[in-house]
Amino acid sequence: MRRRSLLRLITLSAALVVTLCAAAWAASAVWKATQTDSNSARHIASFRWSEEADWFGGLSGLELNSDGTRFVAITDRSHIVEGTLVRKAGKITSVRMLREARLLDADGTPIKKGAEDSEGLALAGDGHFYVSFESPHRVLEYTPEGPRALPSPEAFSTFRFNASFESLARDTAGQLLMISEAPSRQPQVARVWTWSRDTGWHGLGAYPEQDGFLPVGADFGPDGTLYVLERKFVTIGFRSRLRRFAVTSTGLSGGDVLLNTPLAEHDNLEGLSIWRDDSGALRATMISDDNFFWVQRTEIVEYRLPDPL
């Protein structure tokens, strides 16, 4: 009896997954049929990445070098991986890992469970990089000499659990920019923050959220503007959106939508890197967080972007 009940449960679960996937495909088809050719981004290719390793999954932060051949990525369980992207005719055909390791905490020991939710990644060169975390809400700086915690304003403690610093980017002047996925519990607390060695943390105001899309990744492009990857969960899948901003002393301006995907077109895209390909075109490379869930997937997605006017 127990075995029959288990088989019945498995069958019903599989049927539910199939039904949800069919519904997502149908919704995507309807969305595409009703859209004009208004999106500026053009899809190049998507590559599904898998590794036989216990740590693999939950990819949440991504950075590529200037020609898109080398990458650094982090998982949301405090693991870092470096490697190369093998391409043919501009499209990714395989991923070669060169190094993977557990991230260290500020005291030099491996980050413990309960404090390991690493989300945003920003490179500073020569093995120097920054990682933002959602629990606790903080940023760690990694140098060849070792890790250290950046000072955290009291305001950081007002952000919600599992809904804070998903997005981290660094500009050419060395200034960090960080965006909280959701607003603070206190309305007056800024959602966009900048940091530099000279001035420390500075609240830059609200994030111009629209239509239920939340910021989950950010990068400064070689054109000097800020690109923000947004996500929206709609019951049976994800939608992704990519926007471009100018950063001023008073906050973010602009916010042109370059990409707005239909439901379930891609998985849970969270990591973002902007670079120029061999033709000189801007390219957005994004990576998905599979939440370590078997019905999801880790995929690397690339789009060609227009230059700012």
Side-chain angles (χ1 to χ4, degrees):
M1 184 65 181
R2 288 183 178 177
R3 185 175 181 181
R4 287 199 298 272
S5 298
L6 179 59
L7 288 173
R8 179 179 172 79
L9 178 60
I10 293 172
T11 301
L12 289 174
S13 299
L16 178 60
V17 170
V18 171
T19 301
L20 291 177
C21 289
W25 179 88
S28 176
V30 170
W31 187 95
K32 289 180 179 179
T34 59
Q35 297 301 301
T36 60
D37 190 21
S38 59
N39 287 350
S40 299
R42 293 291 177 265
H43 184 235
I44 297 171
S46 299
F47 175 81
R48 185 163 183 172
W49 181 22
S50 63
E51 299 287 345
E52 294 296 327
D54 291 341
W55 61 264
F56 184 78
L59 276 297
S60 57
L62 177 70
E63 288 279 4
L64 272 61
N65 66 346
S66 60
D67 64 2
T69 58
R70 295 283 296 265
F71 76 91
V72 181
I74 56 169
T75 77
D76 58 13
R77 293 183 181 176
S78 289
H79 215 89
I80 186 168
V81 55
E82 299 178 34
T84 60
L85 299 175
V86 180
R87 300 176 186 273
K88 184 175 182 180
K91 298 180 180 180
I92 298 171
T93 57
S94 65
V95 177
R96 295 175 182 168
M97 291 195 302
L98 300 177
R99 185 182 80 89
E100 52 84 10
R102 180 78 172 169
L103 286 172
L104 300 180
D105 216 328
D107 61 2
T109 63
I111 295 178
K112 298 177 176 61
K113 289 185 178 181
E116 64 180 354
D117 194 0
S118 48
E119 295 288 350
L121 172 68
L123 302 185
D126 298 324
H128 183 182
F129 60 96
Y130 299 86
V131 176
S132 61
F133 293 79
E134 283 192 316
S135 57
H137 316 295
R138 69 199 192 282
V139 175
L140 293 183
E141 178 182 19
Y142 293 85
T143 72
E145 290 72 39
R148 75 180 185 99
L150 297 188
S152 292
E154 181 62 30
F156 283 9
S157 66
T158 68
F159 286 101
R160 294 173 172 83
F161 174 76
N162 198 36
S164 64
F165 303 139
E166 293 259 358
S167 306
L168 184 68
R170 180 180 180 273
D171 66 17
T172 55
Q175 177 177 258
L176 295 181
L177 184 140
M178 188 165 63
I179 308 171
S180 173
E181 180 182 9
S184 162
R185 292 188 299 271
Q186 298 181 7
Q188 75 276 13
V189 172
R191 193 167 166 186
V192 181
W193 291 80
T194 59
W195 178 87
S196 71
R197 295 196 186 281
D198 295 332
T199 62
W201 288 106
H202 172 67
L204 208 58
Y207 180 77
E209 182 182 320
Q210 296 176 350
D211 305 324
F213 282 88
L214 302 176
V216 292
D219 193 29
F220 282 98
D223 58 327
T225 59
L226 177 70
Y227 293 80
V228 179
L229 173 62
E230 299 177 332
R231 169 187 65 198
K232 184 177 183 178
F233 180 67
V234 192
T235 308
I236 56 174
F238 298 91
R239 289 183 58 190
S240 298
R241 194 165 73 170
L242 185 62
R243 298 171 72 190
R244 179 159 55 201
F245 294 92
V247 181
T248 72
S249 60
T250 58
L252 304 184
S253 64
D256 293 341
V257 176
L258 305 178
L259 172 67
N260 190 358
T261 71
L263 180 62
E265 178 78 0
H266 303 300
D267 208 282
N268 177 28
L269 298 180
E270 285 197 8
L272 170 69
S273 186
I274 307 294
W275 54 287
R276 288 194 186 276
D277 60 24
D278 290 341
S279 71
L282 279 174
R283 194 178 284 207
T285 302
M286 294 165 281
I287 196 165
S288 67
D289 173 0
D290 68 353
N291 292 303
F292 296 91
F293 190 35
W294 67 272
V295 297
Q296 292 185 248
R297 63 192 183 276
T298 298
E299 62 175 345
I300 304 173
V301 177
E302 295 195 314
Y303 280 81
R304 183 172 289 111
L305 307 177
D307 274 286
L309 298 177

